[in-house]
Amino acid sequence: MSYNGYNGQPGYPGGQFGQYPPPQYPPAPYGANQGYGAPPSGPPPAAPYGALPNQGYGPPYGAPPGPPPQQHGYNQYGPPPGPPPQQNGYNQYGAPPPQGGWQNSPPNPPTLGYGPPQLINWDADPDSRALRSAMKGFGTDEKTLIRVLSTKDPLQIEAIKSTYFRNFSRTLEKDIISETRGYFETGLVALVRGPLLHDVHLLNSAMDGPGTKEKILNDVLLSRSNADIHAIKSMYQQTFHRPLEGDVKGDLSMKTERHFLIVLGANRAEDSSPVIAQQVDSDVMELYRATEGKVGTDEMMVCSILSTRNDNQIRAINHAYEQKFRRRLEDVIKKEFSGHMEQALLYQLRNAVDKYMHAATLLEDAMAGLGTKDDLLVSRVIRYHWDRQTLANVKGAYQQSYRKSLASRVKGETSGDYGRLMLGCLGEPV
């Protein structure tokens, strides 16, 4: 039996009953031995169910050849989070914990830009002076702003900001706000803030005033590592002097609020946690009993499983559910849920099944229909631009799904300096 991913996209082979799809491993994280856009230093670790085949998005990992890796000379990012709290052997809200001791699995390090400040062996002085010259006096040199800021990784951005302040006793973000306008300004400010600070400002704006921008909450918080969630909560508290959980409680409806509080609990299985057949079968039955197997829906059981399993485990659960019940788990979620909770659960499922195709779909969503959702387009393009290997895979997935390049689609939906900035973030010459 063959398997198709969401929206009819090809996924892993169906295989025989009881077989689970092979794990997907993300590109090796940025670290001491990798620079911006450098290919991974080696193959992913061996997996119990075999290595992921190339999905046709270009070279393995999607990363184009580039310059030799830069040696930043920083360590990985501080103490790992402790094991998730257990309540009578169960995680909060009722989902049984995965079997096999996942508390002892090595934790994911924070994504680059989400750890403590790091000193890097890189001279930011030329770029800081170029930025000041671009904004000094009459007029603004927008091309220099784009060239300098769209090509830097998070640690280089931090180095440029501190050097800019040291050289000129001025704040780079404030100068950009005073010299630029519109979505060009929005994009430049997002770059200068870096991924972590930009995330917390997105969260605050999504929950500020009437209504909640649900897609922003999904983008920032769902399917994140425990380390990144801890970093986001800490920075939110530091920036706005109140806990993120409190703002979420005040802004979401009751059950959706509980779903996001599970996410903010940062009790997700680490990526190194194995896929165990017995646990997969147990989770499949729990999902069935919580949805199709009863009158009404046990929403919190579904939310808890999809928020506390890692992507490999969710992928195996998704595959096993269809094998056992001849229905796609995605279709079950669409039938049993609605509103923001439905969209959040689909986000978690789709990201696990194929995160690159999911990202391509999110980018298209920001441009499809009448008018471009520019706030979403800016935040999503910049989110994926921070990791050039991920970006290369997303561009390949977009080409495969929509039969056109992501850059040509973005170019057709944007204009002026704003459009050139988006193209620069996509790695296109501007």
Side-chain angles (χ1 to χ4, degrees), residues 5-268:
Y6 67 91
N7 291 338
Q9 296 301 334
Y12 42 75
Q16 301 297 316
F17 289 105
Q19 292 182 354
Y20 302 118
Q24 290 184 355
Y25 288 92
Y30 284 104
N33 297 318
Q34 287 187 282
Y36 197 44
S41 56
Y49 295 98
L52 175 72
N54 189 335
Q55 291 182 310
Y57 302 162
Y61 301 98
Q70 297 171 358
Q71 298 295 325
H72 283 314
Y74 54 86
N75 296 318
Q76 289 294 351
Y77 309 104
Q86 300 288 318
Q87 296 181 351
N88 300 322
Y90 288 81
N91 291 318
Q92 193 176 14
Y93 303 113
Q99 301 168 9
W102 66 275
Q103 297 94 330
N104 298 322
S105 299
N108 292 30
T111 306
L112 190 69
Y114 290 79
Q118 304 289 330
L119 293 176
I120 61 174
N121 185 21
W122 180 74
D123 183 11
D125 191 72
D127 281 328
S128 71
R129 295 186 183 280
L131 290 170
R132 182 69 193 123
S133 296
M135 295 183 285
K136 188 177 181 181
F138 181 75
T140 302
D141 181 355
E142 291 87 356
K143 287 186 177 180
T144 295
L145 298 182
I146 295 169
R147 175 183 58 80
V148 171
L149 293 174
S150 69
T151 57
K152 301 301 185 292
D153 71 21
L155 299 186
Q156 291 170 325
I157 289 288
E158 291 303 315
I160 288 172
K161 286 195 295 185
S162 60
T163 303
Y164 190 93
F165 184 79
R166 185 170 64 249
N167 285 343
F168 309 112
S169 300
R170 303 174 68 94
T171 303
L172 179 57
E173 181 179 333
K174 289 182 179 178
D175 280 355
I176 285 173
I177 290 172
S178 71
E179 294 291 330
T180 60
R181 296 291 181 270
Y183 288 108
F184 182 51
E185 174 194 330
T186 302
L188 290 173
V189 169
L191 290 170
V192 167
R193 284 174 173 169
L196 177 56
L197 188 59
H198 183 225
D199 272 353
V200 301
H201 278 280
L202 283 174
L203 289 171
N204 182 254
S205 65
M207 297 182 288
D208 186 28
T212 301
K213 300 179 181 71
E214 297 165 350
K215 291 181 178 180
I216 294 291
L217 292 185
N218 295 350
D219 284 357
V220 175
L221 294 177
L222 297 180
S223 303
R224 301 297 294 265
S225 70
N226 296 331
D228 285 3
I229 290 290
H230 285 302
I232 289 167
K233 291 196 298 183
S234 177
M235 181 59 77
Y236 195 93
Q237 174 75 48
Q238 179 182 329
T239 304
F240 301 109
H241 309 293
R242 58 182 185 270
L244 176 57
E245 293 91 337
D247 283 359
V248 167
K249 285 180 181 178
D251 225 68
L252 297 177
S253 60
M254 184 177 67
K255 289 186 176 180
T256 307
E257 169 196 305
R258 291 174 66 191
H259 183 189
F260 275 80
L261 290 178
I262 297 172
V263 170
L264 290 173
N267 293 335
R268 202 167 189 253

Side-chain angles (χ1 to χ4, degrees), residues 96-106 272-279 313:
Q99 301 168 9
W102 66 275
Q103 297 94 330
N104 298 322
S105 299
S272 56
S273 301
V275 176
I276 300 172
Q278 181 182 359
Q279 182 63 50
Q313 293 163 350

